[in-house]
Amino acid sequence: NSYITHYDIHVYFEKDTPSEQEALDLQRKLHQTFPNIRVYPPCRDPVGPHPVGMWEGHLVSEKDFSNVVPWLCFNRGSLDILIHPNARNRSEGYLDHAERALWLGNK
C-alpha cells in the first residue's frame, strides 16, 4: 500500500492486575494461532503515547489484517486494543496513533 508500511496492534493492561495475565494469555494464543505474526515482549510500564502496560504485534499484509483483526474481536476478552497504521511518512506518528486509529474496547 502506498500510504503505510504495516499496522501495529497494542494490547493494553494494568501492571500487576488480572488484566496483565489476560493480555499475556492473548499474546500466547495469537502466536499459536498466527505464528507468522511478529509479537514483541510486553512493556509493563507506560511508554511513548501508551498510558499503561502493553504488548505490540505487527500486521504486515492485508491478509494478516483481515485474519487477525476479526480474531481479536472475538478473543480480546475484556482487554482494550489499539490498532493503527504506520504511515510511510514517519513524521505522522501522532496522527497514526490518534486520528487514524481503530479501537477494540475502550479508547
Side-chain angles (χ1 to χ4, degrees):
N1 163 325
S2 63
Y3 296 108
I4 67 168
T5 60
H6 66 281
Y7 279 86
D8 285 350
I9 57 174
H10 298 279
V11 177
Y12 291 114
F13 60 85
E14 295 282 343
K15 182 167 86 170
D16 297 324
T17 71
S19 70
E20 182 174 11
Q21 188 58 54
E22 184 180 8
L24 297 177
D25 290 345
L26 182 66
Q27 184 183 46
R28 180 183 45 77
K29 290 176 194 172
L30 182 112
H31 184 67
Q32 289 173 341
T33 306
F34 304 101
N36 62 314
I37 301 300
R38 178 180 241 175
V39 294
Y40 295 89
C43 296
R44 297 184 72 217
D45 295 303
V47 60
H50 307 287
V52 295
M54 61 93 187
W55 63 262
E56 179 177 345
H58 288 181
L59 306 176
V60 297
S61 72
E62 291 177 12
K63 181 181 176 185
D64 291 343
F65 187 94
S66 67
N67 287 325
V68 173
V69 173
W71 184 89
L72 288 170
C73 288
F74 285 90
N75 290 278
R76 71 174 185 85
S78 64
L79 298 167
D80 299 323
I81 300 175
L82 166 65
I83 303 166
H84 70 83
N86 283 281
R88 290 194 180 279
N89 182 347
R90 296 196 45 92
S91 68
E92 297 180 6
Y94 173 80
L95 291 172
D96 290 345
H97 284 82
E99 302 295 326
R100 300 173 178 149
L102 306 170
W103 284 90
L104 302 177
N106 295 311
K107 185 174 181 178

